[in-house]
Amino acid sequence: MFDLEWPPQMEAALAHLAAAQQALAALDLAALSGDQLLELAAASETDTRQRASVQHAVVAELEARGVAAELGCSSTAVVLSERLRIGRREAAGRVRLAAELGPRRALSGERLPARFPEVASAVAEGAISDRHAALICRTITDLPEASLGHAEAVEATLVEHARAVNPDQLAVLTRTVRACLDPDGVLVSERDQERRRHTTLTMLPDGSGRLQPQLTAEATAVWQTILDTLSRPVPDSDTGEPDRRSPAQRRHDALADAGQRLLRAGALPDAGGTPTTVLVTLTVDQLETRTGMVTTAHGGLISVPQALQIAAEANIVPVVIGDAGGILGYGLTRRTAIIGQRRALAARDRGCSFPGCDRPPDWCESHHVIPWADGGRTNLEKHAPSA
């Protein structure tokens, strides 16, 4: 905890919360009956949900004030992840829910109700959980444009049912609501597709990834053509054996093939001041033995043989790190870092070097720790990537 001077009202409230928590923790649960234990569990759940409502308001206020920018962080989610020691995905989810359930402000500073006021009110009562709330908010947000006039009625109906069912049961009901409002699935317009479009690439602990896109009709047509062309079965050129890959595996390989073709074509725009390049970092020993795992600039893991195989086919630069280093410095004669130095920075820092910033190398610019105009040298040790 930080040594802050709280307003008296807030200090009293926090002290009351701490005292109540200590009193509950001191209870002899073995002395309670089964009914009493269940009642205590229900009361504790209600309290947890009500505190979530306070958290929504706090996060919404942090976002409205731009506290993240004041601290030099890229987003409120990054601040929450660092300060609360929670994962980035969880932090981002809290920010999204706070935007829907927390209080808002007009440009004039006037306070406005939550975007989904009935959902926010039910959470504040402790009647529904954050999972209930997220389901309801997403259902209303995803309504076709032609059905947005029913949004208030849908919110009221789902909140009423959420008070009596668990989130899994509510999820079934939300699907029923969507089916009733758009039974034939024909009300989705191009504007709806544009509003819902997204792509998420999640890196998994083992270095693999999960791609989850929601494409517009135009993007779907483009990728259908690409995948159909590159994912056709290809017999073995030596033995004539049929292609044993499943259709899903062929589409995966087609996606990787399309990306490598794009890298080889050199058609991507520069990123961070250098041509778009995949950087992998390996040691001299790994290069000589062809064993072990190497890291990409985005923190992924691939084997040395895989890295060397694709390096021969695409614009992939192996950055070999030895004891002597070998990065050239340009003193005061050159202000901007050369491509080699930018690549070395990406290999060394793997993105923005500011504490808590998770921007990848391609989104960063190199800068002098000591400004060049004040005598800062354009040497690697005097540079740091900045988002």
Coordinates of all heavy atoms in Angstrom, one line a residue, residues 3 22 45 57 106 114 129 144 148 158 185 221 268 272 318 329 358 381:
D3 N 1.7 5.1 1.0 CA 1.5 6.0 2.1 C 0.8 7.3 1.7 O 1.5 8.3 1.4 CB 2.8 6.3 2.8 CG 2.6 7.1 4.1 OD1 1.5 7.1 4.6 OD2 3.6 7.6 4.7
Q22 N -11.9 -8.9 8.9 CA -11.2 -9.6 10.0 C -12.2 -10.3 10.8 O -12.0 -11.4 11.3 CB -10.4 -8.5 10.8 CG -9.2 -8.0 10.1 CD -8.5 -6.9 10.8 OE1 -9.0 -6.5 11.9 NE2 -7.5 -6.3 10.2
E45 N -21.1 -13.6 -1.4 CA -21.2 -13.4 -2.8 C -21.8 -12.1 -3.2 O -21.4 -11.4 -4.1 CB -22.0 -14.6 -3.5 CG -22.2 -14.5 -5.0 CD -20.9 -14.6 -5.8 OE1 -19.9 -15.1 -5.2 OE2 -20.9 -14.2 -6.9
A57 N -16.7 1.8 -11.1 CA -16.7 3.2 -11.0 C -15.2 3.7 -10.9 O -14.9 4.8 -11.5 CB -17.5 3.7 -9.8
A106 N -20.2 13.8 -19.6 CA -20.3 14.5 -20.9 C -19.1 15.4 -21.1 O -18.3 15.6 -20.2 CB -21.6 15.3 -20.9
A114 N -24.7 5.1 -16.4 CA -24.0 4.1 -17.1 C -24.6 3.8 -18.5 O -25.8 4.1 -18.7 CB -24.0 2.8 -16.3
S129 N -23.8 -11.1 -11.2 CA -22.3 -11.1 -11.2 C -21.8 -10.4 -12.4 O -22.5 -10.0 -13.3 CB -21.8 -12.5 -11.2 OG -22.1 -13.2 -12.4
P144 N -28.4 -6.7 -34.1 CA -28.4 -6.0 -35.5 C -28.9 -4.6 -35.4 O -29.7 -4.3 -34.5 CB -29.3 -6.9 -36.3 CG -29.4 -8.2 -35.6 CD -29.2 -7.9 -34.1
L148 N -32.0 -2.4 -32.8 CA -31.5 -1.6 -31.7 C -32.6 -0.9 -31.0 O -32.5 -0.5 -29.8 CB -30.5 -0.6 -32.2 CG -29.1 -1.1 -32.7 CD1 -28.2 0.0 -33.1 CD2 -28.5 -1.9 -31.5
L158 N -33.3 -9.4 -19.8 CA -32.2 -10.3 -19.5 C -31.8 -10.0 -18.0 O -31.4 -10.9 -17.3 CB -31.0 -10.0 -20.4 CG -31.2 -10.4 -21.9 CD1 -30.0 -10.1 -22.7 CD2 -31.5 -11.9 -21.9
G185 N -31.4 -14.6 -39.6 CA -30.0 -14.1 -39.7 C -29.8 -13.2 -40.9 O -28.7 -13.1 -41.4
A221 N -14.3 -12.7 -48.1 CA -14.2 -13.1 -49.5 C -12.7 -13.1 -49.9 O -12.2 -14.0 -50.6 CB -14.9 -12.1 -50.4
L268 N 5.1 -4.9 -47.3 CA 4.6 -4.3 -46.1 C 5.3 -3.0 -45.8 O 6.5 -2.8 -46.2 CB 4.9 -5.3 -44.9 CG 4.1 -6.5 -44.8 CD1 4.6 -7.5 -43.7 CD2 2.6 -6.2 -44.6
G272 N 8.6 1.0 -37.3 CA 9.6 1.5 -36.3 C 10.8 2.0 -37.0 O 11.9 2.0 -36.5
P318 N 18.3 -13.6 -38.3 CA 18.8 -14.1 -37.0 C 19.8 -13.2 -36.4 O 20.8 -12.8 -37.0 CB 19.4 -15.5 -37.4 CG 19.8 -15.3 -38.9 CD 18.9 -14.3 -39.5
G329 N 28.8 1.9 -33.2 CA 28.3 3.2 -32.8 C 28.7 4.2 -33.7 O 29.8 4.2 -34.3
D358 N 3.9 -2.7 -23.0 CA 4.0 -4.0 -23.7 C 4.0 -3.8 -25.3 O 3.8 -4.8 -26.0 CB 2.8 -4.9 -23.3 CG 1.5 -4.3 -23.7 OD1 1.5 -3.1 -24.0 OD2 0.5 -5.0 -23.6
E381 N 24.1 1.5 -26.7 CA 23.9 1.6 -25.3 C 23.3 2.9 -24.9 O 22.9 3.1 -23.8 CB 25.3 1.4 -24.5 CG 26.3 2.5 -24.8 CD 27.2 2.2 -26.0 OE1 26.8 1.4 -26.8 OE2 28.2 2.9 -26.1

